[in-house]
Amino acid sequence: MRCPILLADMNAFFASVHQAMNPVLRGKPVIVGGDPAKRHGIVLAASYEAKACGVKTGMAVWEARSLCPRGIFVKPRHGHYVNFSARIIRIMRDFSPLVEPFSIDEAFMDVSGCESLFGSSTDIALQIKGRIKREVGVLCSVGVAPNKLLAKMAAGMQKPDGLTVLDFPDLPDKVWPLPVRELFGVGGRLEKRLRDLNIHTIGELASYPLPVLKKRFGLIGHILSLSANGIDYSPVDPHSLERVKSIGHQITLPRDYRGYHQIKVVVLELCELVCRRVRLGGLVGRTVSLTLKDTEFLWVSRARTMSYPSAATGDVYRVALELLYQHWPSWKPVRMVGVSLAGLVKNTAEQIDLFGEVEKARLLNAACDRIKDRFGEQSLLRAVSLTPEGVLLARNGEVTRG
Amino acid sequence: MANIRDYYRKNFLYESHRLMLPELRDKVAHTCSQCKYMVTVVGKTEARPGCAALIPQYAGLVRRVPEKLDVIDVLRLVGKEGLERVLTGFEPQRQACGLFHPGFSQKDGS
């Protein structure tokens, strides 16, 4: 099989999920956006009917409203998106176990060796498209190619409901004339640096002398040259999601918080959430990161590594506070707070102390976890969540997870 | 990243661009047999695993899902067709569905 790699990319996924759940919305301009009153007022997704009016993802909701006055604005329902995504990946896994979810609406798939069961890769792509449309009610574009890089580029070539086969002979016509920014892995800063070398298209990058690229960009220069020539040796890794590198939460505050006494409340709530998830996975972590964004949308992110791995809320909170005091002046207002724990390893051993404090904290956390397991996440909250600065109770536990 | 071989072998390009919600990771990385909704339906002559998420009284974890349910209780709650759905809705080795909730290990005590 020449092109065994598939990438299924859902079209306007969030909007399509709402249209699938509520048939009245089908064929209408659906715009999924946050609540401006809670300062989440941006467009997360728009249906193709809304896109025709000029609505784009990331646009402010008021701007979308002015561009598309007849648009139907719906609030995001992340639980539904996750359920739909899981159902789609289940369908893909009916064809091959080699499925690598890439984001909530994209997944790679390797169908090598499946031809005697389901036909060629194009046949499999058609079958997957059909089943997703029939069983889930969402349209998707599928890219079929010899490797992941070309499959990713192919999936973006025909939207909505497209099926594109992109093989090496197609590169000069379909890929090389594209701007270099269109190459997967090239961002704004890299594009600027490539422009300094007079490289504007993928074709120019493909024909650029490799030694010069390697000298200028090191290993990335070599990768860029290979990518521009359509070469990518990355495997489709079905176990990629089983390796958790970090767990974090971030939250945009309903109003600007000023002073440590206000910010500390949110930091503690986030530490509690993060540590709960880390403990659920049977993990402990060492590196605590604190991210803060001010009213000018300028953000600071700082990390500190603990001397021992832990999943205790108290330990993570103590380090997060150290970072807060050290890197954020108390007078500066805060718009967004995030906490994450990285350097995660399986919790196989624990460093105990002389006076039994660690053991006491572990028992307390275990007791809290058992209560939450049985009665739900909202069954047990810290008392600070009841203060005016607490955000979890008001948001009913709906926190953006990163 | 030390060399080009490791770059590709470790899937670096895609690992560094991956955006994943933890809830989706839970559902995709687990199977039905690790789900909190897994329940053993005990009949007169045999016991078979089933999916309690398909029983409205247990859906959404409104009530704690027990380890075992008597088949008569299931019949009373969801009827004969419902029992069929509960038993066929559980496939131990298949990827968890959208209703997955982690926690079998806690229930099991292991």
Side-chain angles (χ1 to χ4, degrees), chain B residues 7-20:
Chain B
Y7 183 92
Y8 285 120
R9 194 171 54 84
K10 293 185 178 172
N11 216 0
F12 191 78
L13 182 60
Y14 302 93
E15 289 293 336
S16 56
H17 284 85
R18 192 186 310 283
L19 275 172
M20 194 52 65

Side-chain angles (χ1 to χ4, degrees), chain A residues 350-353 355-365:
Chain A
E350 192 175 45
Q351 177 65 53
I352 56 169
D353 63 339
F355 307 104
E357 293 298 320
V358 172
E359 180 64 8
K360 267 166 77 177
R362 191 186 65 76
L363 289 171
L364 178 64
N365 286 325

Side-chain angles (χ1 to χ4, degrees), chain A residues 52-322:
Chain A
C53 301
V55 179
K56 287 178 184 166
T57 305
M59 187 179 264
V61 167
W62 63 265
E63 205 179 343
R65 225 180 270 277
S66 65
L67 282 169
C68 187
R70 289 174 51 228
I72 300 166
F73 288 79
V74 290
K75 285 185 181 167
R77 305 282 299 271
H78 289 287
H80 291 310
Y81 309 149
V82 168
N83 289 350
F84 271 64
S85 188
R87 285 165 64 193
I88 289 163
I89 292 164
R90 245 163 95 109
I91 289 174
M92 293 174 77
R93 283 190 171 155
D94 284 346
F95 291 86
S96 166
L98 297 178
V99 176
E100 178 185 334
F102 187 56
S103 68
I104 195 162
D105 64 343
E106 284 175 292
F108 287 104
M109 185 177 175
D110 186 345
V111 295
S112 305
C114 297
E115 55 267 53
S116 56
L117 285 170
F118 304 109
S120 70
S121 49
T122 316
D123 293 338
I124 294 173
L126 282 169
Q127 289 175 54
I128 288 173
K129 274 167 68 71
R131 274 193 64 185
I132 291 175
K133 190 176 177 181
R134 206 169 47 247
E135 294 173 24
V136 185
V138 173
L139 295 180
C140 72
S141 293
V142 180
V144 182
N147 57 49
K148 285 166 77 174
L149 181 87
L150 292 182
K152 172 94 179 122
M153 296 190 74
M157 285 178 176
Q158 269 188 68
K159 283 188 173 182
D161 203 17
L163 170 61
T164 311
V165 181
L166 188 64
D167 203 350
F168 293 114
D170 304 320
L171 288 179
D173 294 333
K174 291 185 178 172
V175 176
W176 287 351
L178 298 173
V180 74
R181 180 72 192 264
E182 296 288 311
L183 185 65
F184 181 63
V186 175
R189 278 158 69 183
L190 194 52
E191 182 195 21
K192 197 164 168 267
R193 291 179 69 189
L194 289 169
R195 217 184 297 136
D196 294 342
L197 294 175
N198 205 23
I199 298 171
H200 301 276
T201 65
I202 298 174
E204 286 167 357
L205 179 61
S207 59
Y208 210 81
L210 178 60
V212 183
L213 285 173
K214 278 170 90 170
K215 194 175 175 188
R216 186 79 182 242
F217 301 105
L219 176 65
I220 296 298
H222 196 171
I223 305 287
L224 281 173
S225 179
L226 289 172
S227 297
N229 284 290
I231 297 165
D232 179 21
Y233 300 108
S234 306
V236 172
D237 181 4
H239 304 293
S240 58
L241 292 186
E242 290 163 23
R243 291 185 294 271
V244 186
K245 289 178 184 167
S246 71
I247 291 177
H249 287 264
Q250 63 180 41
I251 190 165
T252 299
L253 303 169
R255 59 185 166 83
D256 294 339
Y257 279 24
R258 290 162 202 275
Y260 290 143
H261 66 286
Q262 292 193 333
I263 305 168
K264 276 165 67 178
V265 173
V266 186
V267 172
L268 178 56
E269 287 183 314
L270 291 176
C271 287
E272 185 76 58
L273 281 171
V274 169
C275 291
R276 160 84 174 137
R277 283 204 69 82
V278 172
R279 289 194 298 266
L280 260 181
L283 304 164
V284 283
R286 281 189 70 181
T287 306
V288 180
S289 301
L290 179 71
T291 307
L292 297 152
K293 196 189 275 180
D294 68 10
T295 46
E296 306 288 314
F297 291 90
L298 298 171
W299 57 278
V300 169
S301 186
R302 295 287 181 272
R304 179 163 294 170
T305 301
M306 297 186 280
S307 55
Y308 55 91
S310 173
T313 308
D315 291 340
V316 175
Y317 179 56
R318 184 172 42 75
V319 177
L321 279 192
E322 284 171 18

